[in-house]
Amino acid sequence: MENIKIKYFTDKIDKLRYIDGKSDWIDLRASEDIELKKGEFSLIPLGVAMKLPEGYEAHIVPRSSTYKNFGIIQANGIGIVDNSYCGNNDMWKMPVIALRNTKICTNDRICQFRIFKIQPQLVFEETNHLGEEDRGGFGSTGRC
């Protein structure tokens, strides 16, 4: 088990915990009230900074209900926080675009994260043939 140092920037959000024992993802919450008009962009502060272990990164994605509840989408699709983003003031934020007028309140659960091992160093070896038969194209099950 890895220990992760975490700094909370406010006591107005719930402490991090696994999602009700149902998943190994962990919810993140807005750490301040945000009002957005349709089409506006914002970096929503999440109220935490962490010192991830060497060789790990965090992936931040919206919760499945985020769009339905708040009308926002994550601007970069998925957020990656590597272990170098660990300064005392490196608060995690979620970049969003509002698709309707919305209000997000302090402590609203708006995204979730999971920690992954980083990709190992790879070496690409150029070739003219991969040694496998074609599957039949993008998204194909390989059937004729």
Side-chain angles (χ1 to χ4, degrees):
M1 182 177 299
E2 297 281 349
N3 288 332
I4 296 175
K5 290 182 180 180
I6 182 168
K7 175 184 176 180
Y8 289 93
F9 289 84
T10 179
D11 60 358
K12 295 179 181 178
I13 59 172
D14 292 352
K15 303 292 186 197
L16 296 186
R17 63 181 177 85
Y18 286 103
I19 302 173
D20 299 326
K22 300 175 187 174
S23 174
D24 58 355
W25 288 80
I26 300 168
D27 283 338
L28 291 164
R29 298 167 183 271
S31 64
E32 63 183 55
D33 293 345
I34 303 283
E35 285 195 51
L36 295 168
K37 302 282 187 230
K38 181 178 179 178
E40 286 185 331
F41 169 82
S42 182
L43 287 171
I44 299 177
L46 301 173
V48 296
M50 292 182 221
K51 171 77 172 128
L52 298 177
E54 187 71 32
Y56 287 84
E57 64 190 14
H59 294 195
I60 300 172
V61 299
R63 298 180 76 244
S64 60
S65 61
T66 297
Y67 177 75
K68 176 181 66 94
N69 291 341
F70 304 106
I72 58 174
I73 58 173
Q74 189 168 343
N76 56 352
I78 183 171
I80 306 294
V81 179
D82 66 32
N83 65 344
S84 70
Y85 190 68
C86 60
N88 199 44
N89 292 308
D90 288 339
M91 185 192 315
W92 291 12
K93 297 177 182 170
M94 180 186 187
V96 301
I97 299 169
L99 299 183
R100 66 174 189 252
N101 294 349
T102 190
K103 181 174 182 181
I104 300 158
C105 297
T106 300
N107 208 40
D108 280 343
R109 296 179 300 160
I110 59 167
C111 56
Q112 57 193 334
F113 79 100
R114 186 172 183 205
I115 296 174
F116 292 91
K117 281 192 166 206
I118 62 170
Q119 179 172 283
Q121 187 68 35
L122 303 173
V123 175
F124 295 97
E125 179 183 333
E126 193 170 337
T127 183
N128 289 325
H129 191 274
L130 297 176
E132 300 294 329
E133 296 299 318
D134 291 340
R135 290 190 45 214
F138 180 78
S140 169
T141 60
R143 300 173 80 190
C144 296

